[in-house]
Amino acid sequence: MVSPTRPLYPLPGRRNDRNKQPLQTFRAYNIAHRGSNGEIPEETAAAYMRAIEEGTDFIETDILASKDGALICFHDVTLDDTTDITNHKEFANRKRTYEVQGVNTTGFFLVDFTLDELKLLRVKQRYPFRDQQYNGEFSIITFDEFISIALDAHRVVGIYPEIKNPVFINQQVKWPGGKRFEDKFVETLKKYGYRGSYMSKQWLKQPAFIQSFAPTSLIYISNQTDLPKIFLIDDVDMPTQDTNQSYWEITSDSYLDFIKEYVVGIGPWKDNIIPVSSNYLQIPSDLVARAHAHNLQVHPYTFRNENKFLHFNFSEDPYNEYDYWINKIGVDGLFTDFTGSLHHYQEWTNPFASGEKEATRLLHKIELMLSKFKYFN
């Protein structure tokens, strides 16, 4: 019998990565939101592998923690919506009510299950209008397993993990020595060699952005890692979970001037950048321009292909939406549930720079020549 915690794919370091195609940096980043979850259940190994196959630049994940302190790739603090938890009668007495971001929430909470117990569950598609054929096939994965997928890719693939609900996790999960959730998060990244400031040689070798809706978490880890950080920005009605600041305060020029000392960019909900009325876009705000004026990148979320998520301006065509946001609004990266669609759009409209491709080929040839030469010394 296979142990429920055994990874079903190679661990890092088993692939010769000297000749990997580098990360593209000349066009907006294609960020696979929870993997290619428009096709395969979110945050599963299969969803991330599919996104890599489809051409993503970064695979994105949410990091939470189990009862025994394991870091897990999962979006919700409850297991109800995207797992088969209700089929497991042995866990029927685990339902609880906790306060999460000021709201009493009832369900089966991830923090009440050990890693081995979580590995018994199977993931299902969040949205009923998406493909259901993979429901029940895949397990929850750990942060380590997620990193393994990126490092074992045939080309350089970045990771984009989120410090998810840190206030709640730090309340419910305790680690030895008084360590915090954020400490364990950074320790995991360091264990696999993730370090370096944005666009540094080390960062380009193993690219990573760290994201969070909690500004205090990003500030806290700034002394632990120089990896680039992205401050996520929620709906206008949602205050920050740790500092209780309003949307208007955290998008003010004074706050952008403050937070730029700790982050390289912001990740706003796209409807906050451009207001929507009757499913039509209104006049864009100046948030992108002001962020760029503060030397901050902008990576909005979330782009989805289905008609119910496409505003009428785009004639039910996701390529029109991508074109608008990249070429009119000027964003620097996009979180998408359909990474293949974004990759196709960018290849058709802004293909891999020929000069960059030729330079990469030349470097590979030189490297091969040098590797042969060393055997004669």
Side-chain angles (χ1 to χ4, degrees):
M1 181 177 177
V2 178
S3 165
T5 58
R6 176 188 170 192
L8 301 178
Y9 35 82
L11 292 174
R14 296 188 184 179
R15 184 191 299 273
N16 182 349
D17 65 354
R18 290 185 304 167
N19 297 316
K20 282 189 175 183
Q21 178 183 318
L23 177 76
Q24 72 79 19
T25 57
F26 69 96
R27 63 190 184 192
Y29 291 127
N30 181 332
I31 306 161
H33 182 244
R34 308 180 204 169
S36 187
N37 84 90
E39 302 173 65
I40 297 173
E42 65 187 48
E43 314 224 15
T44 60
Y48 291 122
M49 290 176 179
R50 178 63 172 156
I52 292 170
E53 176 188 336
E54 292 179 328
T56 191
D57 299 315
F58 289 85
I59 51 174
E60 187 265 354
T61 191
D62 306 276
I63 303 300
L64 292 169
S66 66
K67 181 179 181 179
D68 50 348
L71 299 191
I72 304 297
C73 296
F74 205 76
H75 180 268
D76 301 352
V77 291
T78 58
L79 298 159
D80 303 55
D81 289 343
T82 57
T83 76
D84 62 352
I85 184 67
T86 56
N87 296 339
H88 290 261
K89 303 307 178 188
E90 69 273 28
F91 299 139
N93 64 345
R94 299 285 184 94
K95 185 171 282 193
R96 300 285 188 274
T97 298
Y98 291 112
E99 183 180 305
V100 183
Q101 291 183 241
V103 178
N104 284 336
T105 304
T106 300
F108 293 95
F109 283 80
L110 189 140
V111 294
D112 290 324
F113 294 80
T114 66
L115 173 59
D116 283 347
E117 289 173 333
L118 291 170
K119 283 290 187 178
L120 297 174
L121 307 179
R122 291 296 176 267
V123 180
K124 63 182 180 181
Q125 178 58 253
R126 178 180 295 273
Y127 296 111
F129 48 82
R130 289 182 175 171
D131 192 349
Q132 305 294 307
Q133 68 172 309
Y134 300 110
N135 291 351
E137 289 195 21
F138 309 118
S139 65
I140 293 172
I141 64 172
T142 65
F143 195 9
D144 296 76
E145 291 170 327
F146 167 82
I147 290 172
S148 298
I149 295 168
L151 293 181
D152 282 317
H154 65 283
R155 56 187 173 81
V156 174
V157 173
I159 61 171
Y160 208 126
E162 178 183 345
I163 303 172
K164 191 75 175 178
N165 290 103
V167 174
F168 177 74
I169 294 298
N170 279 316
Q171 288 171 344
Q172 303 300 326
V173 182
K174 303 301 176 184
W175 285 272
K179 289 189 174 181
R180 291 169 46 165
F181 176 34
E182 293 90 341
D183 298 321
K184 302 302 293 184
F185 180 96
V186 173
E187 281 179 13
T188 304
L189 291 170
K190 287 182 175 180
K191 180 171 68 172
Y192 291 100
Y194 284 94
R195 59 184 175 83
S197 58
Y198 182 61
M199 297 301 288
S200 66
K201 181 178 179 180
Q202 180 61 34
W203 186 87
L204 287 169
K205 182 180 178 182
Q206 292 182 209
F209 286 106
I210 297 172
Q211 55 173 332
S212 184
F213 285 99
T216 56
S217 290
L218 296 171
I219 293 169
Y220 177 77
I221 66 170
S222 65
N223 292 324
Q224 300 181 27
T225 177
D226 57 353
L227 286 170
K229 302 158 192 73
I230 301 290
F231 176 39
L232 300 175
I233 298 176
D234 215 327
D235 187 6
V236 293
D237 298 323
M238 288 291 292
T240 55
Q241 60 185 266
D242 52 342
T243 58
N244 200 37
Q245 292 171 282
S246 70
Y247 169 82
W248 306 109
E249 181 178 351
I250 61 175
T251 58
S252 66
D253 283 325
S254 61
Y255 194 79
L256 292 178
D257 198 48
F258 161 74
I259 202 67
K260 75 177 184 182
E261 300 300 318
Y262 304 98
V263 305
V264 300
I266 58 174
W269 181 40
K270 61 180 183 174
D271 283 6
N272 282 346
I273 298 176
I274 306 177
V276 175
S277 178
S278 301
N279 206 31
Y280 281 96
L281 296 182
Q282 304 302 297
I283 298 173
S285 74
D286 63 353
L287 180 57
V288 173
R290 290 192 296 107
H292 285 165
H294 287 83
N295 200 29
L296 292 168
Q297 295 188 38
V298 182
H299 300 173
Y301 65 91
T302 302
F303 292 81
R304 299 179 169 108
N305 283 13
E306 292 95 352
N307 291 343
K308 68 178 297 178
F309 296 118
L310 288 168
H311 301 311
F312 291 150
N313 310 66
F314 303 117
S315 306
E316 300 181 346
D317 185 343
Y319 297 132
N320 285 342
E321 184 180 36
Y322 290 141
D323 182 70
Y324 178 81
W325 281 91
I326 293 171
N327 295 314
K328 297 293 195 327
I329 302 302
V331 298
D332 308 286
L334 303 89
F335 289 82
T336 177
D337 285 3
F338 293 88
T339 190
S341 294
L342 177 53
H343 182 71
H344 286 317
Y345 165 78
Q346 293 200 278
E347 283 293 286
W348 293 334
T349 59
N350 191 5
F352 199 98
S354 58
E356 188 169 330
K357 183 179 289 185
E358 291 304 317
T360 299
R361 286 175 180 166
L362 179 59
L363 286 172
H364 286 173
K365 287 180 180 179
I366 294 171
E367 190 173 31
L368 286 172
M369 291 170 63
L370 291 174
S371 66
K372 292 176 182 177
F373 177 76
K374 70 180 181 180
Y375 292 113
F376 297 96
N377 288 284

